[in-house]
Amino acid sequence: MNANPTLIVGSLAFDDLEMPSGTFDNVVGGAATYSSIAASLLCPVRLVGVVGKDFPGEVLDSLRARGVDTAGVERAEGRTFRWHGRYSADLSSRTTLDTQLNVFADFRPKIPTAFSTSPFVLLGNIHPALQLEVLAQIERPQLVIADTMNFWIAGEPKLLGEVLKKIDLLVINDEEARDLSGIHNLVKAAADIRRRGPKHLIIKRGEHGALFFDDAGVFFAPGYPLEDVVDPTGAGDSFAGGLIGYIARAKNLAHPTMRRAIYFGSALGSFCVEGIGPRRLLEVTRADLQKRMDAFMALVETGGPVELPE
Ligand code: AMP
């Protein structure tokens, strides 16, 4: 594939999901799983994470079949990381009922030598100390994107501050942006966060789209309107995978590339929520992705110059 490889580090998991449509146990998930599946439609992926003895080999086989190099996925003694979440009736919010770290508790990312020169890097939502360990093991990439969550914002602010100084793009949701900055207004919050390190910032607003902040100002991409949202789990990670996958394929970091990458991320997030766990995402082809991008562009096309009529 004519694209730069992307290194993705993060969780591989079993999720127990409670949704208004029913309860689904032992769903294969994890942030790195979703990001890898999404990114692999656009570029070769190098995955680093840990699974337990209970993780199905067929899942790793299916990732490999998509061009994901799993040489960095360690199989440790013990059980795979497990997350149990419950969604609200309208699927717009969720509560974590249980997190079992299992093999993730002792996870120390080991970046295979062959991965250490990866030009594009996605640091999934893991302990900021581990994100720093990854960065210490690699040569300076062209672009480092990181995700984080409230848990680390509240619990590890100093280490997270170190991460912010070393990354190029932070991808978080609106609640996390407010928690991280202590500022309610998202434009002001973004300016505060960018002052701490990342020159680029994306604030995700779920079905309401995503805001992108850089030196050029603010850019907005809506969420793709769907009739049936089945399971929002992994949407943010699929967004991040699509985003970095597109940039890796475009091989440049110009502002227009970033704008288009955000649309690709949104499109992949929209596919993700159409099925339980990664089920739908796994069946999406490059042709499906192009079709959704065309529909997405038609959605925001005004059909003419936006000028005040005489
Ligand atoms: P998202 O819906 O994009 O936020 O991603 C949900 C995925 O993140 C699920 O598949 C979970 O297994 C995984 N996840 C949930 N909590 C954590 C955590 N504390 N650390 C790493 N991964 C997590």
Side-chain angles (χ1 to χ4, degrees):
M1 196 188 282
N2 182 24
N4 281 311
T6 292
L7 173 66
I8 296 179
V9 186
S11 58
L12 294 96
F14 285 122
D15 294 338
D16 298 322
L17 308 169
E18 289 183 33
M19 277 167 301
S21 58
T23 295
F24 303 87
D25 291 335
N26 297 313
V27 178
V28 169
T33 310
Y34 285 104
S35 296
S36 298
I37 297 169
S40 64
L41 278 166
L42 295 155
C43 71
V45 173
R46 297 162 167 180
L47 177 59
V48 171
V50 63
V51 296
K53 296 282 179 208
D54 52 354
F55 198 79
E58 303 83 66
V59 174
L60 296 177
D61 289 342
S62 75
L63 289 174
R64 279 190 285 270
R66 306 174 61 90
V68 178
D69 186 336
T70 59
V73 179
E74 199 185 314
R75 193 179 274 281
E77 284 298 329
R79 299 178 68 210
T80 300
F81 173 83
R82 183 172 283 269
W83 177 73
H84 183 179
R86 179 185 291 152
Y87 285 89
S88 61
D90 64 0
L91 293 174
S92 69
S93 60
R94 70 181 179 205
T95 313
T96 292
L97 299 178
D98 190 26
T99 301
Q100 291 172 22
L101 290 177
N102 299 329
V103 292
F104 216 59
D106 300 315
F107 175 56
R108 304 291 297 268
K110 284 184 259 339
I111 310 299
T113 315
F115 290 7
S116 65
T117 52
S118 305
F120 295 89
V121 175
L122 176 60
L123 300 173
N125 163 33
I126 52 177
H127 195 299
L130 299 186
Q131 293 179 322
L132 289 170
E133 277 185 29
V134 172
L135 293 178
Q137 292 175 61
I138 58 178
E139 282 179 28
R140 179 74 182 111
Q142 285 180 45
L143 180 79
V144 180
I145 301 182
D147 185 7
T148 192
M149 68 191 289
N150 296 40
F151 187 69
W152 308 124
I153 293 169
E156 296 287 354
K158 256 185 104 172
L159 282 171
L160 186 58
E162 288 306 307
V163 172
L164 293 183
K165 285 184 202 148
K166 295 193 157 109
I167 62 170
D168 305 294
L169 168 55
L170 180 69
V171 184
I172 50 179
N173 67 32
D174 41 10
E175 198 186 316
E176 290 155 355
R178 289 180 172 126
D179 282 355
L180 180 57
S181 63
I183 300 169
H184 186 80
N185 178 284
L186 291 179
V187 179
K188 287 184 181 149
D192 175 84
I193 294 166
R194 291 183 60 231
R195 269 195 294 275
R196 302 185 200 193
K199 286 186 75 176
H200 307 85
L201 172 69
I202 291 176
I203 301 182
K204 297 171 290 175
R205 311 197 68 197
E207 62 177 312
H208 305 297
L211 294 161
F212 172 59
F213 299 87
D214 69 356
D215 285 343
V218 196
F219 174 69
F220 175 69
Y224 184 78
L226 292 170
E227 207 170 309
D228 291 310
V229 176
V230 175
D231 172 14
T233 311
D237 309 310
S238 305
F239 174 95
L243 176 87
I244 201 161
Y246 181 79
I247 300 169
R249 192 165 193 93
K251 296 185 188 157
N252 76 72
L253 305 174
H255 181 83
T257 304
M258 306 299 274
R259 287 185 172 221
R260 289 193 283 272
I262 291 163
Y263 273 92
F264 273 91
S266 289
L268 282 155
S270 76
F271 280 122
C272 176
V273 304
E274 287 181 324
I276 300 296
R279 200 174 291 172
R280 173 74 180 119
L281 199 57
L282 279 166
E283 64 187 25
V284 171
T285 62
R286 286 168 56 85
D288 295 330
L289 177 57
Q290 185 60 60
K291 212 167 138 198
R292 178 142 306 174
M293 284 302 293
D294 293 344
F296 218 155
M297 292 304 102
L299 176 76
V300 292
E301 170 59 60
T302 61
V306 185
E307 285 166 5
L308 271 180
E310 285 298 318

